Amino acid sequence: MKTVIIGGVAGGASAAARLRRLDESAEIIILERGDYVSFANCGLPYYIGGVIADRKQLTLQTPESFKARFRIDVRVRHEAVKIDPDAKTITVANLTSGETYWESYDNLILSPGAEPIKPDIEGIDSDIVFTLRSIPDTVKIKEYMTKTQPKSAVVVGGGYIGVEMAENLKEAGLAVSIVELAGHLIAPLDFDMAADVHRYIKSKGIRLYLNNEVKAVKDHTVVLENGALPADLVILSVGVRPETFLAQDCGIRTNRRGSIIVDQSMKTNLPDIYAVGDAAETENFITKAPAFLPLAGPANKQGRIAADNIAGFPSAYTGTQGSAVLKLFDMTVAATGLNEKGAQAAGMDYDKVYLYFGSHASYYPGANPMSIKALWDKQTLKIIGVQIVGFDGVDKRMDVLAAAIRFGAKITDLCGLELCYAPPFGSAKDPVNMLGFAAENIVTGKVKQFFWHDVEKLPRDGSVTLLDVRTPAEVQRGKIDGFTPVPLDSLREHLAEIPKDRPVYVHCHSGLRSYIACRILTGNGYDCFNLAGGWRLYESVINERTVPEYICTECQ
């Protein structure tokens, strides 16, 4: 049995190694048009920033190591240029010798990946403009930086790779700006969670230009829809598109985006041809709708599943939920499942909760707060999405919550999880448990919520009561107009001053003390609503929405 794999990075390399482990007698060939196989795409920004000093560390396997350990024939600089599914052959171009030959197959796995999107604008092919997708891309950027010693850089696109590149270029000593067409960085986040990211990244000296578009690159200047920026180096990170022209040419079905349509076994519509990785259409695990989520973890799993099925071990890919984590200087940003935009697009009836909680026991030194937002389906109570922004312990909480989503947990199931506890690592009530407790209070009607986007719509005419239960010192640092300060610990003494014939809206710093205030008020016959996320979330979002972005007037 002979299997040919086109593309030797995440999905293709994973499929090849798995197939060998399952079938010692199989003939396995990898055709890779580039110079490298099985390299760490996700590590590329850190080589540019100098965190990874040796380029060889980015290469997980080589043709020689594949041959020695797995007896796999890896042919780099060999490009598949045509597939004949009827004859079950592939036309291959040897990019080193110029020779063209054909290769037969019994099974074929397509893992061509995706290519960076390059917008059609003036100057896009300038010698200061780069994309980052492969080791040769990385080498070009590194050599350019060494040769020209750039002082300023503009990163176009504020997704995961764009933000990582901005961090690493800043660490390398450049003045860095990010231009993003959308209203916030990191698309899997909602704006309210991205607001903290914006504030932090700007505190590190990186300038943000949101709701803005690059119109041209000329004379070491990036011309924006609104303004212009100096740039000795431009990194394009505006997304990728599936590289599937080879599949389309031979009759393999693709969707409108160009992704190869596969079933759960990773089979295409043509016999004995599979597709995996960034080129393959996946299914959103939560909505069951077709999805394009180009991530390394799913690509590796899909390669393994294709190999299982070729070797006669039935295996199915059950969808991608988009679990991802990002390091941003000392900050950690993580997301899994749907955000509000995704839930709304799917027509889901959902609810949400915010939590602001320490990474470990507050009495043990070094605890850092993290912001958590969770969404759940109101009908089933199943968790459908989580976002976390913080500085310590974010990844382990997100992994627990991503696993909970995968196994169909309800938001209230988080209350009963028994998680490891010691003061340096967590709290007796872990943030994951606290998320469940907070949601359970909402689900069971013990507390009613209002949100930051409701605050400005609340009447200030006395028809509702607005209370701020923070301390006087906190109120001095900032307040929401119209809210009367009544510290929580003296609330009971002021009940007689609060009318019972109208709703009461309460906030504190994070939502915890105002929840306690609502329980006091509810117990005394009031109709009370708690500001989810408290003053901390409200202030972060409102300031981020109103602070104008810096524009370099000298470049206009």
Side-chain angles (χ1 to χ4, degrees):
M1 188 71 71
K2 180 179 180 180
T3 297
V4 176
I5 301 169
I6 297 175
V9 191
S14 177
R18 175 66 171 174
L19 186 57
R20 170 58 72 226
R21 291 192 296 269
L22 297 178
D23 186 349
E24 182 64 19
S25 64
E27 182 181 359
I28 305 169
I29 299 171
I30 295 177
L31 302 174
E32 169 55 54
R33 71 180 179 191
D35 296 311
Y36 302 89
V37 291
S38 190
F39 62 85
N41 297 70
C42 299
L44 300 181
Y46 300 101
Y47 175 67
I48 291 171
V51 177
I52 298 173
D54 187 353
R55 191 173 79 199
K56 293 179 181 178
Q57 292 179 298
L58 297 171
T59 306
L60 307 178
Q61 293 281 356
T62 65
E64 294 74 23
S65 66
F66 259 119
K67 187 71 172 180
R69 179 163 297 180
F70 297 108
R71 297 298 186 268
I72 291 171
D73 181 2
V74 178
R75 303 175 189 174
V76 295
R77 294 190 56 75
H78 281 65
E79 181 178 11
V81 295
K82 184 178 180 181
I83 300 169
D84 185 338
D86 296 323
K88 300 185 79 169
T89 60
I90 307 159
T91 304
V92 183
N94 183 327
L95 300 182
T96 301
S97 68
E99 171 196 7
T100 298
Y101 65 97
W102 62 266
E103 192 71 57
S104 65
Y105 66 85
D106 296 306
N107 291 286
L108 175 62
I109 300 176
L110 302 179
S111 182
E115 61 181 346
I117 295 171
K118 295 183 70 174
D120 184 17
I121 60 174
E122 180 185 352
I124 197 67
D125 295 320
S126 165
D127 59 4
I128 71 168
V129 178
F130 299 86
T131 58
L132 181 65
R133 188 67 180 170
S134 65
I135 289 180
D137 291 341
T138 311
V139 171
K140 288 178 184 177
I141 296 171
K142 193 78 168 179
E143 289 178 346
Y144 174 83
M145 291 175 64
T146 301
K147 180 180 178 180
T148 66
Q149 297 293 303
K151 303 299 182 185
S152 60
V154 172
V155 177
V156 184
Y160 286 109
I161 296 298
V163 170
E164 287 173 345
M165 277 302 303
E167 174 199 358
N168 280 279
L169 290 170
K170 183 65 178 178
E171 295 281 42
L174 280 72
V176 181
S177 302
I178 300 176
V179 180
E180 169 56 50
L181 185 62
H184 66 84
L185 301 178
I186 310 172
L189 297 182
D190 289 313
F191 181 87
D192 48 22
M193 295 297 286
D196 279 352
V197 179
H198 297 170
R199 177 173 292 183
Y200 178 73
I201 198 170
K202 286 187 285 190
S203 77
K204 292 294 185 179
I206 294 175
R207 299 190 185 278
L208 301 185
Y209 300 86
L210 306 174
N211 294 305
N212 218 324
E213 184 179 8
V214 173
K215 292 296 187 180
V217 178
K218 51 186 178 182
D219 300 326
H220 285 247
T221 300
V222 176
V223 181
L224 307 180
E225 182 179 16
N226 298 306
L229 299 169
D232 300 322
L233 170 66
V234 178
I235 302 292
L236 293 178
S237 184
V238 296
V240 295
R241 64 168 61 92
E243 195 167 353
T244 54
F245 60 89
L246 188 64
Q248 294 171 3
D249 284 348
C250 74
I252 293 173
R253 288 178 56 219
T254 59
N255 62 20
R256 285 184 297 176
R257 182 188 288 271
S259 300
I260 298 170
I261 298 172
V262 294
D263 62 17
Q264 287 193 321
S265 65
M266 308 311 299
K267 288 182 181 177
T268 70
N269 61 302
L270 297 185
D272 304 314
I273 301 180
Y274 299 74
V276 302
D278 294 354
E281 175 186 273
T282 60
E283 180 182 89
N284 186 292
F285 176 75
I286 296 163
T287 67
K288 307 306 177 187
F292 179 64
L293 294 165
L295 297 167
N300 278 278
K301 294 178 182 67
Q302 292 162 19
R304 179 184 177 94
I305 287 167
D308 285 350
N309 286 292
I310 288 172
F313 297 91
S315 184
Y317 187 70
T318 56
T320 302
Q321 66 191 67
S323 299
V325 65
L326 165 72
K327 172 192 171 296
L328 176 58
F329 298 101
D330 296 323
M331 178 178 271
T332 306
V333 180
T336 188
L338 303 179
N339 57 16
E340 289 201 64
K341 181 180 178 181
Q344 290 163 7
M348 302 188 75
D349 184 18
Y350 68 92
D351 209 341
K352 59 185 176 182
V353 69
Y354 298 86
L355 183 71
Y356 193 58
F357 207 76
S359 56
H360 59 251
S362 59
Y363 58 83
Y364 187 88
N368 285 302
M370 64 180 76
S371 298
I372 309 178
K373 179 179 182 178
L375 313 179
W376 66 91
D377 185 303
K378 282 186 178 180
Q379 303 304 313
T380 65
L381 299 186
K382 286 186 176 182
I383 310 165
I384 60 171
V386 184
Q387 302 160 48
I388 309 180
V389 177
F391 294 91
D392 181 38
V394 169
D395 54 337
K396 74 173 184 175
R397 271 60 182 228
M398 184 55 78
D399 283 341
V400 169
L401 293 163
I405 290 176
R406 179 61 62 163
F407 294 124
K410 298 178 180 179
I411 190 72
T412 49
D413 289 335
L414 302 179
C415 301
L417 291 184
E418 186 173 333
L419 304 173
C420 298
Y421 162 60
F425 303 105
S427 301
K429 295 183 208 176
D430 190 84
V432 173
N433 300 130
M434 291 298 295
L435 196 63
F437 297 151
E440 184 185 51
N441 286 333
I442 296 163
V443 169
T444 57
K446 296 183 182 71
V447 67
K448 293 186 284 188
Q449 298 187 107
F450 68 110
F451 301 100
W452 62 266
H453 46 78
D454 300 319
V455 170
E456 301 308 317
K457 295 178 287 186
L458 293 174
R460 267 68 171 180
D461 59 3
S463 59
V464 300
T465 300
L466 308 177
L467 295 181
D468 180 345
V469 297
R470 296 176 298 157
T471 66
E474 290 176 294
V475 173
Q476 281 189 335
R477 291 194 290 268
K479 61 182 181 179
I480 304 176
D481 290 341
F483 279 73
T484 301
V486 180
L488 173 63
D489 292 342
S490 62
L491 177 61
R492 289 183 178 88
E493 284 71 40
H494 290 273
L495 290 178
E497 305 165 18
I498 304 172
K500 283 191 175 181
D501 62 348
R502 64 202 64 174
V504 182
Y505 291 82
V506 186
H507 85 82
C508 68
H509 180 71
S510 68
L512 176 58
R513 282 172 291 167
S514 49
Y515 157 66
I516 296 170
C518 270
R519 292 308 303 155
I520 292 171
L521 290 162
T522 301
N524 282 278
Y526 293 86
D527 184 18
C528 189
F529 295 81
N530 181 28
L531 178 58
W535 160 260
R536 192 210 66 78
L537 178 66
Y538 173 82
E539 184 273 336
S540 174
V541 175
I542 296 303
N543 276 348
E544 186 57 34
R545 291 173 72 191
T546 56
V547 173
E549 300 297 341
Y550 172 89
I551 295 294
C552 178
T553 55
E554 295 178 359
C555 303
Q556 294 180 344

